Amino acid sequence: MHKLASWRELLDSIITTPAERERIATAIGVRSITLTRWVKGESIPRPQNLRQLLHALPRDYQDQFQELLEREGWLSPLSVEAEAVLVEKISFTFVNEVLDTRATTPDTLRFWAVSRQVLQHAIRHLDPEPMGMAITVVRCMPPGSDGKIHSLRESGGLGTRPWESNLEHQAMFLGAESLAGYVVTSGRPATVQNLTDDTMFLPSYRADYEMSAVASPLLYANRIAGCLLFSSTQPNYFGQTSRLMLIHGYTNLMALAFEPEEFYPPELIDLPVMPPLEVQRRHLAHFREYVIDHMRASTQTKQPLTFIQAEQQAWQQIEDILLHLPPE
């Protein structure tokens, strides 16, 4: 077996597949081409980049990668130990970066740009090892014909293994059966330290790999737009006060991604129990068909929809179907 002589050789062997290269790049907040340049020596990573890269690699490679970094003088053992200590505050530099993004991004891209920026920073900060975490943006669906909000929708997120790095396509509708539904209804954060505990009093839908979870409400002027849902593979992962304070801070930053009209008065929240995921999947599978149908129909009325508007109507169509399904 060929013994790898440098961290660049090891990284080169790890990022041979585009999917893994993209996953690692997303996890550390760089473009995939940057990893290739590091491998070729065309660009020199900063020590902070290397520490992030170390934690983003598959666990089977982390010890070897760290050993190569230390042997070549790129990283000292003390710097890695210091990185493992949870930083209890969000830096003002990052807060200012988010504010700049919000101030300079066009309306149509603002939600994506700000949410992506916050999610990437949060998941690196809260799961530096990484041990396995998912952060999901849960949004209120628009009010129905009765003026009430009857469901929430997962609308993207980021994860570290065993979750996929991009959670956008894993959307589902949530209601009173979920921790997110409880938090949006109450307007207060809630934590479940062990989702396998049958004696817990909070409602919670347990996703794959999830052992503990926190939901934190997205608030503005005493109105609510949804919540941020944090899930961990580790029980009791959210027991530290410092970690909960970070979650509160990142939730406040995420609220900047929303427009004021996307926040609703608490009295409009009226969530029923939504059908289980296996039932929802049968209808979510037709999402793209519904989008195309709405766009085609709009051209006939001489009021063509944008793609985003057509998607929103498709989500509302699926929501209406799910809300009116007979009990199984």
Side-chain angles (χ1 to χ4, degrees):
M1 181 178 176
H2 172 62
K3 187 174 182 179
L4 298 172
S6 72
W7 66 266
R8 285 192 170 94
E9 282 189 43
L10 178 56
L11 180 60
D12 189 32
S13 68
I14 295 171
I15 62 172
T16 52
T17 64
E20 183 66 359
R21 185 164 59 248
E22 184 63 31
R23 182 195 70 80
I24 293 173
T26 299
I28 65 176
V30 300
R31 295 184 300 166
S32 58
I33 188 64
T34 301
L35 297 180
T36 304
R37 288 172 178 164
W38 289 349
V39 166
K40 294 179 179 179
E42 297 173 355
S43 177
I44 299 176
R46 293 176 295 178
Q48 179 183 356
N49 295 137
L50 288 173
R51 288 193 293 271
Q52 293 170 347
L53 179 59
L54 171 62
H55 296 313
L57 295 179
R59 292 183 187 179
D60 292 345
Y61 294 101
Q62 288 182 7
D63 289 344
Q64 184 182 3
F65 192 77
Q66 180 177 337
E67 181 183 342
L68 290 170
L69 287 174
E70 293 172 4
R71 183 195 306 166
E72 297 173 52
W74 287 88
L75 210 60
S76 69
L78 288 177
S79 68
V80 177
E81 292 175 9
E83 185 72 11
V85 178
L86 181 67
V87 179
E88 296 185 4
K89 295 181 180 179
I90 301 172
S91 70
F92 174 75
T93 300
F94 177 67
V95 173
N96 199 42
E97 289 173 359
V98 174
L99 293 174
D100 280 344
T101 299
R102 185 174 185 268
T104 59
T105 304
D107 292 345
T108 54
L109 298 176
R110 186 178 298 116
F111 176 80
W112 185 90
V114 173
S115 63
R116 195 77 176 178
Q117 188 176 22
V118 173
L119 288 171
Q120 287 178 343
H121 198 276
I123 206 159
R124 292 198 303 267
H125 198 168
L126 292 165
D127 190 27
E129 290 300 327
M131 302 177 72
M133 177 177 286
I135 308 177
T136 306
V137 183
V138 180
R139 307 177 71 163
C140 292
M141 287 293 291
S145 57
D146 61 353
K148 298 286 188 177
I149 293 168
H150 296 298
S151 78
L152 313 172
R153 179 175 65 85
E154 295 181 349
S155 66
L158 292 181
T160 58
R161 288 187 174 184
W163 283 282
E164 295 183 19
S165 58
N166 190 341
L167 304 177
E168 186 172 357
H169 65 283
Q170 298 187 14
M172 68 176 293
F173 289 87
L174 301 171
E177 77 291 341
S178 65
L179 183 64
Y182 173 84
V183 165
V184 170
T185 300
S186 67
R188 299 189 302 272
T191 306
V192 177
Q193 297 293 1
N194 191 338
L195 285 158
T196 63
D197 184 358
D198 294 333
T199 63
M200 61 185 179
F201 297 101
L202 293 174
S204 58
Y205 165 82
R206 184 185 175 193
D208 291 340
Y209 319 119
E210 190 179 32
M211 290 296 292
S212 58
V214 175
S216 183
L218 292 157
L219 300 170
Y220 168 73
N222 290 323
R223 300 192 298 273
I224 192 160
C227 69
L228 266 191
L229 181 62
F230 299 78
S231 305
S232 173
T233 60
Q234 308 300 310
N236 304 307
Y237 192 74
F238 302 106
Q240 296 181 18
T241 301
S242 58
R243 195 165 273 140
L244 293 176
M245 290 177 65
L246 285 173
I247 285 171
H248 178 70
Y250 282 117
T251 304
N252 285 340
L253 288 175
M254 182 60 71
L256 296 174
F258 291 77
E259 300 301 321
E261 60 269 20
E262 295 180 284
F263 293 84
Y264 301 99
E267 58 268 22
L268 297 187
I269 307 298
D270 185 17
L271 304 178
V273 173
M274 295 300 287
L277 179 58
E278 56 269 21
V279 175
Q280 293 193 32
R281 279 177 175 156
R282 297 200 293 265
H283 301 278
L284 291 168
H286 299 288
F287 174 71
R288 289 300 165 195
E289 297 173 30
Y290 295 153
V291 172
I292 294 171
D293 289 344
H294 285 296
M295 294 195 75
R296 284 176 177 167
S298 72
T299 59
Q300 297 174 2
T301 63
K302 297 183 179 180
Q303 293 181 329
L305 297 172
T306 66
F307 187 73
I308 293 176
Q309 290 171 330
E311 281 194 326
Q312 184 60 48
Q313 290 191 13
W315 287 124
Q316 290 175 280
Q317 182 178 353
I318 295 174
E319 178 199 32
D320 188 64
I321 292 171
L322 295 175
L323 289 172
H324 292 91
L325 285 177
E328 292 195 350

